[in-house]
Amino acid sequence: MSHAAIPSAPLIVTAELPPPIQRWASALRAAHFPPERNFLQAHVTLFHALPVVLLEEARALLSGLAAGHAPVEARLVGIMDLGGGTALRLESPGMLALRERIADHFHGMLTAQDSHAPRLHVTVQNKVARADAIALQQRLSGEIARQSFAFTGLALHHYAGGSWTPAGGWAFRGKVRVGS
């Protein structure tokens, strides 16, 4: 689908996971996310709905941030209870600092949801019965090992009614380190 085909689709900003964690988390998602609603690979959402009129400005901002910054340190710290779902809980002061810079840049254009700093996570299960979520959380809590990693870049997507269409991706390649 071309970008022209979805001119009103809101923009989603994600932090890119390193390939081994991306593959592992996507496999968890494929195994546990309800298949009729699983349109996406594992991801870490920073912003859920930037207005599409910001497309070129967002591309320029994300490109500039990625060019100037080194991969951003992060840590997988455990399981997150989503009520009717389960996620991998992440910590990354550096990514939250970069996200704050993006939020400051787009001040006044953010939705209520995007006006607040997120709890960084990768959703592996959502919109299931509470008992199913608890069962998966209990099972995974014994399997998930804490580990450090680095986010590899930033990406921009058009929301397309469930699935996403890529609108750009930028690898971290600079020297500036944020957070710790």
Side-chain angles (χ1 to χ4, degrees), residues 8 19 22 27 46 63 65 79 105 115 118-119 134 143 147 166:
S8 63
Q22 174 68 42
L46 300 178
S63 174
L65 289 172
I79 301 301
H105 182 90
S115 294
R119 297 178 303 157
I134 291 170
E143 297 176 11
Q147 61 181 297

Side-chain angles (χ1 to χ4, degrees), residues 3-30:
H3 300 306
I6 47 176
S8 63
L11 302 170
I12 300 165
V13 179
T14 59
E16 297 293 283
L17 295 163
I21 291 180
Q22 174 68 42
R23 286 189 296 272
W24 170 73
S26 288
L28 274 177
R29 186 178 170 94

Side-chain angles (χ1 to χ4, degrees), residues 50-123:
L50 293 178
V52 73
V53 298
L54 300 176
L55 178 61
E56 294 309 319
E57 189 175 350
R59 284 178 172 155
L61 177 63
L62 298 178
S63 174
L65 289 172
H69 289 89
V72 179
E73 294 180 18
R75 189 156 170 79
L76 170 61
V77 295
I79 301 301
M80 180 183 287
D81 183 353
L82 299 177
T86 301
L88 304 173
R89 182 186 306 273
L90 307 176
E91 291 178 352
S92 178
M95 186 53 68
L96 290 176
L98 276 183
R99 187 208 175 274
E100 185 61 29
R101 288 183 61 188
I102 298 166
D104 285 347
H105 182 90
F106 291 121
H107 178 76
M109 299 296 288
L110 301 178
T111 63
Q113 181 180 23
D114 286 338
S115 294
H116 306 286
R119 297 178 303 157
L120 297 176
H121 67 279
V122 177
T123 302

